[in-house]
Amino acid sequence: MASVNLGSWVQSYSSFNQASRSRSRSFPLPGSLPFNPLRNLSFSTPKTRSFTSLPSICSVLTKEDTVKGEEQDPQKPSFDFKSYMVQKASTVNQALESAVSLRDPVKIHEAMRYSLLAGGKRVRPALCLAACELVGGQESMVMPAACAVEMIHTMSLIHDDLPCMDNDDLRRGKPTNHKVFGEDIAVLAGDALLAFAFEHLAVSTVGVTPGRIVRAIGELAKAIGAEGLVAGQVVDINSEGLTDVGLDHLEFIHVHKTAVLLEAAVVLGAILGGGCDEDVERLRKFARYIGLLFQVVDDILDVTKSSKELGKTAGKDLVADKVTYPKLIGIEKSREFAEKLRSDALELLQGFDPEKAAPLIALANYIAYRPN
């Protein structure tokens, strides 16, 4: 795999500046980032398996309708990513609809459902389901966890859009929650989704040992707490308008604010699906890469797409004077960095059954090349 030498243009960024093709890498992060989960990340990948042996992936990511760089071979089974995502999203939407039904008090449940059922790509639940199936689990074992992750993601969007936070009026092509229900109800709707996510995971998970359920609950709680999602949000808020923000600081924000929840989705799927510790940790590392990749791409889209194309307000980071990858290193170098993250993520899936890994491979490519 060709490696981008990020050290030539991002001297302060120490996580991905390895130019060699070494099969064993270590990516220490600056000591100023006490909670960064990428610190001292090391892993090894087998030398024998190549992705040329993987099934071809039909995707919605490029104009050619195939994943960039994927060679087509009529002898290989085809993975239809678009159909996969439509099917998984439909199943997840049905589960969410059933879990958060319209009941008393009606107003709060209306507000919860308004944002929870407003559409969206359902990337996090899909990652959760795919990781579970990769390690040999069944969809039914992990559906409550997939829904819990989406409930927490929705909570984060509701709160992120509030006037005291990002002050956004548009989300998924619709008025934001507080614009419809008021700030007070929006705050409470987010709170209710957060609480119910853990209740749903604890009570509705079936076919899984209690020990694994407790472990999953712990993983999810840590991911969104004061050393996870909240940490990223706080540092992001305190960084607005600063002129001396470097790439290590920006990475801390993105790893915590965005990547940790994608990581949790994958890790929960692996744990509840019965994965061994080695597989869980390898998938955790995979998820860290695609989690950071998701936000790098988000930064690029924010300055290259319109509000109509994104389904949310475009250019809001620029208006808020927030630090982003394009702002620090430019759009082209940001795209190079995104490709580096994608490639490193895919290396971590080598050694798994190629057909079972196909959904995660396609999801990593989707995150890298998504249009919105």
PDB file of all heavy atoms in Angstrom, residues 6 26 69 115 147 150 197 208 220 225 239 254 262 299 304 308 312 327 338 343 371:
ATOM      1  N   LEU A   6       2.921  12.289   5.426  1.00  0.00           N
ATOM      2  CA  LEU A   6       2.300  13.503   5.948  1.00  0.00           C
ATOM      3  C   LEU A   6       3.304  14.407   6.649  1.00  0.00           C
ATOM      4  O   LEU A   6       3.048  15.589   6.829  1.00  0.00           O
ATOM      5  CB  LEU A   6       1.184  13.123   6.926  1.00  0.00           C
ATOM      6  CG  LEU A   6       0.066  12.295   6.318  1.00  0.00           C
ATOM      7  CD1 LEU A   6      -0.930  11.900   7.386  1.00  0.00           C
ATOM      8  CD2 LEU A   6      -0.618  13.063   5.221  1.00  0.00           C
ATOM      9  N   SER A  26       3.768   2.538  14.988  1.00  0.00           N
ATOM     10  CA  SER A  26       3.417   3.149  16.263  1.00  0.00           C
ATOM     11  C   SER A  26       3.165   4.609  16.014  1.00  0.00           C
ATOM     12  O   SER A  26       3.974   5.278  15.381  1.00  0.00           O
ATOM     13  CB  SER A  26       4.558   2.967  17.275  1.00  0.00           C
ATOM     14  OG  SER A  26       4.231   3.584  18.499  1.00  0.00           O
ATOM     15  N   GLY A  69     -10.611   2.838  -7.315  1.00  0.00           N
ATOM     16  CA  GLY A  69      -9.468   1.945  -7.278  1.00  0.00           C
ATOM     17  C   GLY A  69      -9.813   0.472  -7.225  1.00  0.00           C
ATOM     18  O   GLY A  69      -8.944  -0.378  -7.243  1.00  0.00           O
ATOM     19  N   SER A 115     -36.609  14.250  15.445  1.00  0.00           N
ATOM     20  CA  SER A 115     -35.201  14.212  15.035  1.00  0.00           C
ATOM     21  C   SER A 115     -34.707  12.788  14.796  1.00  0.00           C
ATOM     22  O   SER A 115     -33.938  12.537  13.868  1.00  0.00           O
ATOM     23  CB  SER A 115     -34.323  14.897  16.091  1.00  0.00           C
ATOM     24  OG  SER A 115     -34.599  16.282  16.167  1.00  0.00           O
ATOM     25  N   CYS A 147     -29.507   0.810  17.634  1.00  0.00           N
ATOM     26  CA  CYS A 147     -30.503   1.868  17.881  1.00  0.00           C
ATOM     27  C   CYS A 147     -30.030   2.810  18.977  1.00  0.00           C
ATOM     28  O   CYS A 147     -30.225   4.033  18.891  1.00  0.00           O
ATOM     29  CB  CYS A 147     -31.841   1.233  18.279  1.00  0.00           C
ATOM     30  SG  CYS A 147     -32.685   0.379  16.931  1.00  0.00           S
ATOM     31  N   GLU A 150     -27.628   5.287  17.599  1.00  0.00           N
ATOM     32  CA  GLU A 150     -28.308   6.296  16.783  1.00  0.00           C
ATOM     33  C   GLU A 150     -29.086   7.279  17.657  1.00  0.00           C
ATOM     34  O   GLU A 150     -29.171   8.470  17.340  1.00  0.00           O
ATOM     35  CB  GLU A 150     -29.237   5.625  15.776  1.00  0.00           C
ATOM     36  CG  GLU A 150     -29.800   6.574  14.730  1.00  0.00           C
ATOM     37  CD  GLU A 150     -28.759   7.120  13.759  1.00  0.00           C
ATOM     38  OE1 GLU A 150     -27.581   6.681  13.803  1.00  0.00           O
ATOM     39  OE2 GLU A 150     -29.112   7.994  12.937  1.00  0.00           O
ATOM     40  N   ALA A 197     -31.429   5.482  25.508  1.00  0.00           N
ATOM     41  CA  ALA A 197     -30.460   4.676  24.767  1.00  0.00           C
ATOM     42  C   ALA A 197     -29.875   3.582  25.662  1.00  0.00           C
ATOM     43  O   ALA A 197     -29.779   2.414  25.262  1.00  0.00           O
ATOM     44  CB  ALA A 197     -29.349   5.567  24.211  1.00  0.00           C
ATOM     45  N   VAL A 208     -27.444 -12.520  24.249  1.00  0.00           N
ATOM     46  CA  VAL A 208     -26.088 -12.103  24.592  1.00  0.00           C
ATOM     47  C   VAL A 208     -25.898 -12.273  26.098  1.00  0.00           C
ATOM     48  O   VAL A 208     -26.824 -12.005  26.871  1.00  0.00           O
ATOM     49  CB  VAL A 208     -25.833 -10.632  24.192  1.00  0.00           C
ATOM     50  CG1 VAL A 208     -24.408 -10.222  24.530  1.00  0.00           C
ATOM     51  CG2 VAL A 208     -26.108 -10.428  22.708  1.00  0.00           C
ATOM     52  N   LEU A 220     -19.982   2.346  25.754  1.00  0.00           N
ATOM     53  CA  LEU A 220     -20.791   3.439  25.223  1.00  0.00           C
ATOM     54  C   LEU A 220     -20.766   4.646  26.154  1.00  0.00           C
ATOM     55  O   LEU A 220     -20.657   5.791  25.701  1.00  0.00           O
ATOM     56  CB  LEU A 220     -22.229   2.959  25.002  1.00  0.00           C
ATOM     57  CG  LEU A 220     -23.177   3.917  24.282  1.00  0.00           C
ATOM     58  CD1 LEU A 220     -22.628   4.329  22.924  1.00  0.00           C
ATOM     59  CD2 LEU A 220     -24.558   3.283  24.127  1.00  0.00           C
ATOM     60  N   GLY A 225     -18.835  10.481  27.386  1.00  0.00           N
ATOM     61  CA  GLY A 225     -18.692  11.255  28.615  1.00  0.00           C
ATOM     62  C   GLY A 225     -17.627  12.330  28.550  1.00  0.00           C
ATOM     63  O   GLY A 225     -17.238  12.808  27.483  1.00  0.00           O
ATOM     64  N   SER A 239     -12.266  26.660  21.440  1.00  0.00           N
ATOM     65  CA  SER A 239     -11.271  26.940  20.398  1.00  0.00           C
ATOM     66  C   SER A 239     -11.745  27.950  19.369  1.00  0.00           C
ATOM     67  O   SER A 239     -10.950  28.381  18.520  1.00  0.00           O
ATOM     68  CB  SER A 239     -10.900  25.631  19.675  1.00  0.00           C
ATOM     69  OG  SER A 239     -10.354  24.694  20.578  1.00  0.00           O
ATOM     70  N   HIS A 254     -11.650  16.361  16.879  1.00  0.00           N
ATOM     71  CA  HIS A 254     -12.353  15.473  15.956  1.00  0.00           C
ATOM     72  C   HIS A 254     -12.400  14.032  16.460  1.00  0.00           C
ATOM     73  O   HIS A 254     -13.410  13.342  16.290  1.00  0.00           O
ATOM     74  CB  HIS A 254     -11.688  15.525  14.586  1.00  0.00           C
ATOM     75  CG  HIS A 254     -11.990  16.779  13.827  1.00  0.00           C
ATOM     76  ND1 HIS A 254     -13.010  17.633  14.187  1.00  0.00           N
ATOM     77  CD2 HIS A 254     -11.418  17.330  12.720  1.00  0.00           C
ATOM     78  CE1 HIS A 254     -13.053  18.652  13.333  1.00  0.00           C
ATOM     79  NE2 HIS A 254     -12.096  18.484  12.436  1.00  0.00           N
ATOM     80  N   LEU A 262     -18.444   6.681  16.425  1.00  0.00           N
ATOM     81  CA  LEU A 262     -18.298   5.670  15.386  1.00  0.00           C
ATOM     82  C   LEU A 262     -17.496   4.481  15.905  1.00  0.00           C
ATOM     83  O   LEU A 262     -17.798   3.322  15.598  1.00  0.00           O
ATOM     84  CB  LEU A 262     -17.628   6.265  14.141  1.00  0.00           C
ATOM     85  CG  LEU A 262     -18.563   7.056  13.224  1.00  0.00           C
ATOM     86  CD1 LEU A 262     -18.557   8.525  13.593  1.00  0.00           C
ATOM     87  CD2 LEU A 262     -18.183   6.890  11.768  1.00  0.00           C
ATOM     88  N   ASP A 299     -15.272  18.244   7.128  1.00  0.00           N
ATOM     89  CA  ASP A 299     -14.641  19.557   7.003  1.00  0.00           C
ATOM     90  C   ASP A 299     -14.524  19.972   5.537  1.00  0.00           C
ATOM     91  O   ASP A 299     -14.739  21.134   5.180  1.00  0.00           O
ATOM     92  CB  ASP A 299     -13.242  19.533   7.631  1.00  0.00           C
ATOM     93  CG  ASP A 299     -13.271  19.604   9.150  1.00  0.00           C
ATOM     94  OD1 ASP A 299     -14.373  19.730   9.726  1.00  0.00           O
ATOM     95  OD2 ASP A 299     -12.185  19.517   9.754  1.00  0.00           O
ATOM     96  N   THR A 304     -17.074  22.875   0.373  1.00  0.00           N
ATOM     97  CA  THR A 304     -17.150  22.573  -1.059  1.00  0.00           C
ATOM     98  C   THR A 304     -18.565  22.271  -1.539  1.00  0.00           C
ATOM     99  O   THR A 304     -18.784  22.169  -2.750  1.00  0.00           O
ATOM    100  CB  THR A 304     -16.252  21.372  -1.417  1.00  0.00           C
ATOM    101  OG1 THR A 304     -16.673  20.216  -0.669  1.00  0.00           O
ATOM    102  CG2 THR A 304     -14.790  21.672  -1.113  1.00  0.00           C
ATOM    103  N   LYS A 308     -28.082  22.997   0.289  1.00  0.00           N
ATOM    104  CA  LYS A 308     -29.048  22.081  -0.319  1.00  0.00           C
ATOM    105  C   LYS A 308     -28.440  20.700  -0.500  1.00  0.00           C
ATOM    106  O   LYS A 308     -29.083  19.681  -0.223  1.00  0.00           O
ATOM    107  CB  LYS A 308     -29.522  22.627  -1.667  1.00  0.00           C
ATOM    108  CG  LYS A 308     -30.574  21.759  -2.346  1.00  0.00           C
ATOM    109  CD  LYS A 308     -31.035  22.384  -3.663  1.00  0.00           C
ATOM    110  CE  LYS A 308     -32.096  21.504  -4.343  1.00  0.00           C
ATOM    111  NZ  LYS A 308     -32.555  22.103  -5.625  1.00  0.00           N
ATOM    112  N   LYS A 312     -27.834  20.530   5.470  1.00  0.00           N
ATOM    113  CA  LYS A 312     -27.582  21.335   6.662  1.00  0.00           C
ATOM    114  C   LYS A 312     -26.841  22.581   6.211  1.00  0.00           C
ATOM    115  O   LYS A 312     -26.421  22.683   5.050  1.00  0.00           O
ATOM    116  CB  LYS A 312     -26.751  20.554   7.694  1.00  0.00           C
ATOM    117  CG  LYS A 312     -25.394  20.101   7.184  1.00  0.00           C
ATOM    118  CD  LYS A 312     -24.672  19.273   8.246  1.00  0.00           C
ATOM    119  CE  LYS A 312     -23.300  18.814   7.738  1.00  0.00           C
ATOM    120  NZ  LYS A 312     -22.601  17.999   8.748  1.00  0.00           N
ATOM    121  N   LYS A 327      -8.822  24.582   6.607  1.00  0.00           N
ATOM    122  CA  LYS A 327      -8.323  25.878   7.057  1.00  0.00           C
ATOM    123  C   LYS A 327      -6.833  25.809   7.393  1.00  0.00           C
ATOM    124  O   LYS A 327      -6.077  26.749   7.112  1.00  0.00           O
ATOM    125  CB  LYS A 327      -9.110  26.356   8.278  1.00  0.00           C
ATOM    126  CG  LYS A 327      -8.691  27.727   8.798  1.00  0.00           C
ATOM    127  CD  LYS A 327      -9.569  28.160   9.952  1.00  0.00           C
ATOM    128  CE  LYS A 327      -9.157  29.530  10.489  1.00  0.00           C
ATOM    129  NZ  LYS A 327     -10.015  29.957  11.623  1.00  0.00           N
ATOM    130  N   ALA A 338      -7.255  12.280   4.112  1.00  0.00           N
ATOM    131  CA  ALA A 338      -8.428  11.403   4.144  1.00  0.00           C
ATOM    132  C   ALA A 338      -8.124  10.069   3.472  1.00  0.00           C
ATOM    133  O   ALA A 338      -8.503   9.002   3.970  1.00  0.00           O
ATOM    134  CB  ALA A 338      -9.616  12.085   3.472  1.00  0.00           C
ATOM    135  N   SER A 343      -6.961   4.192   3.698  1.00  0.00           N
ATOM    136  CA  SER A 343      -6.066   3.079   3.383  1.00  0.00           C
ATOM    137  C   SER A 343      -5.612   2.343   4.634  1.00  0.00           C
ATOM    138  O   SER A 343      -5.598   1.104   4.678  1.00  0.00           O
ATOM    139  CB  SER A 343      -4.833   3.588   2.614  1.00  0.00           C
ATOM    140  OG  SER A 343      -5.210   4.161   1.386  1.00  0.00           O
ATOM    141  N   PRO A 371     -21.002  12.054  -0.781  1.00  0.00           N
ATOM    142  CA  PRO A 371     -21.282  13.372  -1.376  1.00  0.00           C
ATOM    143  C   PRO A 371     -21.840  14.375  -0.389  1.00  0.00           C
ATOM    144  O   PRO A 371     -21.901  15.562  -0.684  1.00  0.00           O
ATOM    145  CB  PRO A 371     -22.319  13.043  -2.460  1.00  0.00           C
ATOM    146  CG  PRO A 371     -23.057  11.867  -1.909  1.00  0.00           C
ATOM    147  CD  PRO A 371     -22.041  11.060  -1.150  1.00  0.00           C
TER     148      PRO A 371
END
